[in-house]
Amino acid sequence: MAEEIHEIVLTENTILLPGDKVRVGPDVSSPFKSKINEEGKCIDAVNSSRGLSVQIQFNDGAIIKGSRSGLILTEFYTGAAPGGKY
């Protein structure tokens, strides 16, 4: 049986930590629009504060700073899947 995949669509109030892995969702705002459906890792989240910009490093090496709203959390920095069994 296949393992169920869990993902969380982020809002401005979602805490994102460096090391968390994300995918760019279809409803993301600029400047991430050029990376829709691409995956990356959070490298800076301004002390994990809500509402502030985050920096995402994508698999191609590009680093983009912008709003977390519309990004999709796919894996916590610990390696756990969001909403998974603990």
Side-chain angles (χ1 to χ4, degrees), residues 6-61:
H6 300 275
E7 297 180 331
I8 298 172
V9 177
L10 305 181
T11 68
E12 282 305 307
N13 292 319
T14 308
I15 293 175
L16 189 67
L17 297 172
D20 287 348
K21 293 183 181 178
V22 296
R23 182 170 44 83
V24 179
D27 298 325
V28 76
S29 61
S30 294
F32 293 113
K33 283 207 178 282
S34 65
K35 296 288 189 181
I36 289 178
N37 289 325
E38 292 191 38
E39 296 183 352
K41 179 172 66 172
C42 177
I43 58 171
D44 185 21
V46 190
N47 298 325
S48 308
S49 297
R50 294 178 169 111
L52 299 177
S53 296
V54 296
Q55 283 188 347
I56 305 298
Q57 182 172 24
F58 292 91
N59 295 340
D60 65 2

